[in-house]
């Protein structure tokens, strides 16, 4: 069944430290906000998709029970950082198959409860122990990519810092972002070293809480706003990389993007706005190339030209991205699409991409030994 799937409502909490709020509080704010935004009753939702990484078993049922919502099917989705995007993908599939007419997808996380520090590597992968013994963490993995990128392109370390300057400037315009202070190139370069060439301001915050929610429906929304449709949705896993793999080749993202573009009948040149997974500054440059925004080796040129700023050819991370908005794992993929909905409906006050009609959200998830990423999700939205 080939049904048009719409996003009728979108909402999220501010991302940051919520010491006085429970996960139930965060979920309630996002879910009820999306329901209100869609102009529906809670009983209109025939199923719920709950995305989370560290909340424990049957979290969706626990959180929705405390909202007084019990009875409908509740699907708990965990796919590392791509959990929220994967939940949207699965919800869209169910709607297209005609299983439901209206569903709610939400993602939530409270990373501040974990005590801070880097997110641990995959603990149930027996090969990960070998990586950990060599000092491997996610910052060091991306630092190696950054070092290789700068070496192969003959670029200075300041190129990576330009990503942080752009995205934190965007975050300063977003009232829901965790980091709302613009930074200069000099401040980024002088911030505490994490893993060369990455400094503190080039890494997304790891202590962050937040929730985001979407109402997906096969019914045409009745509101006077532009109707946002999901034009393409793809989720894939990584290939095993034998021998000396190219650490600058984000093959899983390129593969997933191709699948989403093909579904939508669109290409990179059709995009007006992009929310991508900039957990570290180097990631944004790699994903420029993987998504087809720039040719191989030309990601830095695209950035420095100003083409990815608000007002440029294709605005990338106008929300501030993970670097400024924050990265509460289970909520991230959903929040990226909340931002796109607001952009496509001209509701992104203070950071609006004028005339935006097509947006792309890209989220990767998880690192397991010998594989680029465990999961990748790409969604195309349009009006």
């Amino acid at each position: 069944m080939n049904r048009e799937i719409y996003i009728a409502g979108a909402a999220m909490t501010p991302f940051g430290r919520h010491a006085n709020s429970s996960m139930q509080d965060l979920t309630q704010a996002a879910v009820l906000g999306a329901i209100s935004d869609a102009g529906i009753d809670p009983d209109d939702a025939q199923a719920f998709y709950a995305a989370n990484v560290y909340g424990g078993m049957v979290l969706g049922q626990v959180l929705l029970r405390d909202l007084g919502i019990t009875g409908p099917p509740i699907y708990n989705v965990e796919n590392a950082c791509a959990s929220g995007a994967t939940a949207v993908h699965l919800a869209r599939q169910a709607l297209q198959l005609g299983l439901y007419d209206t569903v709610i997808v939400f993602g939530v996380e409270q990373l501040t409860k974990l005590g801070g520090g880097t997110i641990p590597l995959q603990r149930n992968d027996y090969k990960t122990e070998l990586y950990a013994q060599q000092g491997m963490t996610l910052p060091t993995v991306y630092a190696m990519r950054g070092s290789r990128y700068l070496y192969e392109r003959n670029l200075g370390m300041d190129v990576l810092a330009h990503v942080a300057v752009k995205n934190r400037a965007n975050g300063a315009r977003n009232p829901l972002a965790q980091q709302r202070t613009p930074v200069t190139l000099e401040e980024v370069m002088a911030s505490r070293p994490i893993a060369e060439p990455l400094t503190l301001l080039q890494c997304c915050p790891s202590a962050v809480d937040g929730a985001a929610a979407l109402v997906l429906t096969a019914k045409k929304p009745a509101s006077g706003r532009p109707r946002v449709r999901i034009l393409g949705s793809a989720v894939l896993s990584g290939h095993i990389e034998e021998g000396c793999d190219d650490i600058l080749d984000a093959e899983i993202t390129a593969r997933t993007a191709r699948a989403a573009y093909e579904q939508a009948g669109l290409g990179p040149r059709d995009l007006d706005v992009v929310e991508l997974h900039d957990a570290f500054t180097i990631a944004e440059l790699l994903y420029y190339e993987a998504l087809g925004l720039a040719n191989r080796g030309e990601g830095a040129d695209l950035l420095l030209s100003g083409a990815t700023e608000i007002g440029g050819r294709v605005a990338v991370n106008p929300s501030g991205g993970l670097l400024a908005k924050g990265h509460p794992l289970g909520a991230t993929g959903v929040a990226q699409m909340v931002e796109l909905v607001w952009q496509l409906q001209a509701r992104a006050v203070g950071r609006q991409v004028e005339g935006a009609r097509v947006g792309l959200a890209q989220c990767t998830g998880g690192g397991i030994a010998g594989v680029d990423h465990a999961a990748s999700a790409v969604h195309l939205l349009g009006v």
Side-chain angles (χ1 to χ4, degrees):
M1 185 179 296
N2 187 19
R3 307 171 91 191
E4 295 271 14
I5 306 304
Y6 301 91
I7 299 179
M12 61 179 284
T13 69
F15 281 4
R17 293 179 178 268
H18 290 272
N20 297 320
S21 298
S22 66
M23 205 175 291
Q24 286 89 339
D25 296 328
L26 296 171
T27 300
Q28 179 173 350
V31 170
L32 295 183
I35 288 172
S36 175
D37 193 49
I40 64 171
D41 295 321
D43 292 342
D44 292 334
Q46 298 162 299
F48 291 79
Y49 291 77
N52 179 265
V53 178
Y54 288 112
M57 291 191 299
V58 294
L59 181 68
Q61 285 85 339
V62 170
L63 297 176
L64 292 174
R65 174 206 64 195
D66 293 344
L67 294 182
I69 298 172
T70 57
I74 299 168
Y75 302 94
N76 293 289
V77 181
E78 185 278 305
N79 213 9
C81 304
S83 296
T86 302
V88 173
H89 176 76
L90 294 173
R92 179 188 184 239
Q93 281 185 336
L95 290 167
Q96 285 189 314
L97 290 170
L99 299 178
Y100 312 114
D101 292 320
T102 301
V103 302
I104 291 175
V105 181
F106 70 91
V108 62
E109 207 79 54
Q110 270 200 312
L111 294 180
T112 57
K113 302 296 185 183
L114 301 181
T118 60
I119 297 169
L121 293 174
Q122 191 76 5
R123 287 175 174 167
N124 61 355
D125 176 7
Y126 70 96
K127 291 185 178 180
T128 297
E129 183 179 351
L130 300 176
Y131 278 51
Q133 289 174 356
Q134 300 174 53
M136 285 290 198
T137 61
L138 286 176
T140 58
V141 169
Y142 279 92
M144 287 192 300
R145 289 174 174 156
S147 294
R148 189 70 192 178
Y149 188 92
L150 298 179
Y151 171 76
E152 290 197 3
R153 274 66 167 175
N154 193 29
L155 298 168
M157 291 171 60
D158 63 303
V159 169
L160 301 181
H162 279 282
V163 176
V165 172
K166 173 182 73 72
N167 291 355
R168 286 177 180 266
N170 292 347
R173 303 162 74 173
N174 181 359
L176 301 180
Q178 181 180 24
Q179 305 293 332
R180 300 201 57 212
T181 303
V183 294
T184 65
L185 191 67
E186 292 73 23
E187 287 172 329
V188 175
M189 297 292 291
S191 63
R192 177 164 58 87
I194 298 298
E196 190 177 344
L198 301 178
T199 60
L200 181 65
L201 293 179
Q202 297 184 55
C203 308
C204 70
S206 61
V208 57
D209 310 324
L214 298 167
V215 175
L216 272 58
T217 183
K219 302 176 181 179
K220 280 190 177 181
S223 77
R225 300 190 297 249
R227 296 188 179 106
V228 177
R229 294 177 294 143
I230 302 179
L231 306 176
S233 172
V235 174
L236 294 172
S237 58
H239 290 310
I240 294 177
E241 297 174 330
E242 305 275 350
C244 185
D245 64 287
D246 183 356
I247 62 174
L248 301 185
D249 180 19
E251 71 83 21
I252 183 175
T253 292
R255 197 159 32 95
T256 311
R258 286 195 297 270
Y261 286 141
E262 184 175 352
Q263 279 183 38
L266 298 171
R269 284 284 174 180
D270 297 306
L271 302 176
D272 299 305
V273 57
V274 172
E275 285 285 314
L276 59 73
H277 193 99
D278 60 325
F280 303 90
T281 51
I282 178 57
E284 180 158 325
L285 298 183
L286 296 180
Y287 293 142
Y288 285 171
E289 300 176 16
L291 296 172
L293 304 180
N295 294 325
R296 173 82 177 188
E298 297 179 2
D301 293 337
L302 183 72
L303 170 73
L304 297 176
S305 73
T308 58
E309 296 178 5
I310 296 173
R313 177 172 66 81
V314 53
V316 176
N317 288 327
S319 70
L322 280 59
L323 285 170
K325 184 176 63 179
H327 183 25
L329 310 182
T332 291
V334 182
Q336 288 180 321
M337 282 179 257
V338 170
E339 176 69 18
L340 291 184
V341 168
W342 289 344
Q343 289 287 349
L344 298 178
Q345 293 180 334
R347 293 198 283 161
V349 178
R351 60 189 186 283
Q352 181 64 49
V353 177
E354 296 301 325
R357 297 189 58 81
V358 178
L360 178 147
Q362 173 267 340
C363 203
T364 55
I368 57 175
V371 174
D372 176 13
H373 278 95
S376 178
V378 173
H379 286 80
L380 286 157
L381 309 184
V383 293

